[in-house]
Amino acid sequence: MIDAHAHFELYRKDAPRVIEECRGKVKAVVDSITEYRKAHVHRSWELLRPYFGFVIPTLGYHPNEARRGNLEKVKRVEEFILEHRHEIVAIGEVGLDYHYARSEGEREKQRTIFRRFLELAVELGMPVVIHARDAEREAFELVQRAGVRAYFHSFTGSPELAREIAGNGHLIGISTGIAFIPGVREVVEALEVENITTETDSPYMSPVRGERNTPCNVRMVVDAVAKLKGLDFEEVAGITEKNAMEFFGVDLKG
């Protein structure tokens, strides 16, 4: 199994312990190292660098930071991505979050910065990891215009849009939210397993109230998907792992 989206850096001093706890329970964790508030990409990178191999890094700029419109910070992150372009497997997470960006001014800042990172992904020939909340359709349309392949992580949009996204060759992330968000289960029911992968978005989206989520919980996502689709656990684990490896261009056997 692979956890296709998590944030070990947000455990801060507990990160090494949580990483070691998850070794052996999952084959790898794709960590979207993202600029957001006090979680600066350069600090997160140095924290996680010793674990690269098990931790597979992407680099991005969170839309909830993008709504502040700090273009100097954007430029620094772009430069950091260019510096580490050969060590990452995707750009992200980037995108739109209209749940928190409620004014048109904030939303336009998000769009501007999102477009910049999509252009960077095109320049580098990389896929993108998308954060879209209350803006799934618009994020999808911008991805289509840019002509990049995208992973819509922790997808909570409609089943109809999920089918359209998947039909255009993109990947849908099913998170531990499947335990408590009915809409996520509806998305799973609407898609083929070949269109999805499994993630935790740790330390968020915990399936247990009052506890921090960890990548170890990706097992419960695989189990929930298998039950919804009437398939064996091992079959779903194998297909979703293959989907993630192919999307990110990772060979865990190498």
Side-chain angles (χ1 to χ4, degrees), residues 40 62 83 111 182 231 241-242 247:
H40 302 300
H62 201 284
E83 179 184 353
R111 294 184 198 109
L231 299 171
E241 178 181 309
K242 179 175 178 285
F247 179 85

Side-chain angles (χ1 to χ4, degrees), residues 94-148:
V94 293
L96 303 173
D97 190 320
Y98 290 172
H99 179 78
Y100 290 107
R102 297 183 177 179
S103 73
E104 181 55 30
E106 287 184 329
R107 291 180 178 186
E108 185 55 34
K109 289 172 184 175
Q110 285 190 351
R111 294 184 198 109
T112 297
I113 292 171
F114 184 28
R115 290 190 191 100
R116 284 182 62 152
F117 284 102
L118 290 175
E119 290 168 2
L120 182 59
V122 171
E123 176 187 339
L124 298 180
M126 287 187 171
V128 292
V129 178
I130 302 298
H131 171 114
R133 186 177 184 187
D134 295 346
E136 290 87 358
R137 166 64 65 180
E138 187 173 348
F140 170 54
E141 290 174 353
L142 288 170
V143 162
Q144 288 296 95
R145 288 177 200 150
V148 295

Side-chain angles (χ1 to χ4, degrees), residues 43-107:
R43 292 178 184 167
S44 299
W45 185 270
E46 291 307 315
L47 174 66
L48 298 182
R49 181 192 288 273
Y51 306 100
F52 286 176
F54 173 67
V55 175
I56 300 168
T58 77
L59 283 167
Y61 200 100
H62 201 284
N64 288 334
E65 183 64 30
R67 69 191 171 102
R68 307 178 200 282
N70 188 335
L71 295 183
E72 284 299 315
K73 182 183 279 191
V74 169
K75 185 177 180 181
R76 289 196 297 271
V77 173
E78 288 171 335
E79 290 171 348
F80 193 83
I81 290 172
L82 288 170
E83 179 184 353
H84 297 284
R85 60 190 293 180
H86 299 299
E87 300 169 82
I88 62 174
V89 296
I91 304 296
E93 61 190 280
V94 293
L96 303 173
D97 190 320
Y98 290 172
H99 179 78
Y100 290 107
R102 297 183 177 179
S103 73
E104 181 55 30
E106 287 184 329
R107 291 180 178 186

Side-chain angles (χ1 to χ4, degrees), residues 197-217:
T197 192
T198 52
E199 61 164 275
T200 64
D201 198 17
S202 298
Y204 307 113
M205 304 296 284
S206 176
V208 181
R209 185 182 295 274
E211 292 184 10
R212 288 190 305 182
N213 202 4
T214 78
C216 302
N217 287 328

Side-chain angles (χ1 to χ4, degrees), residues 128-179:
V128 292
V129 178
I130 302 298
H131 171 114
R133 186 177 184 187
D134 295 346
E136 290 87 358
R137 166 64 65 180
E138 187 173 348
F140 170 54
E141 290 174 353
L142 288 170
V143 162
Q144 288 296 95
R145 288 177 200 150
V148 295
R149 190 171 184 219
Y151 170 44
F152 285 77
H153 106 83
S154 193
F155 187 81
T156 55
S158 71
E160 295 75 19
L161 180 57
R163 281 195 293 263
E164 187 175 352
I165 290 171
N168 279 274
H170 307 295
L171 195 60
I172 300 289
I174 302 301
S175 77
T176 36
I178 196 171

Side-chain angles (χ1 to χ4, degrees), residues 211-228:
E211 292 184 10
R212 288 190 305 182
N213 202 4
T214 78
C216 302
N217 287 328
V218 74
R219 183 178 186 86
M220 67 81 51
V221 186
V222 174
D223 186 57
V225 171
K227 288 176 179 175
L228 283 170

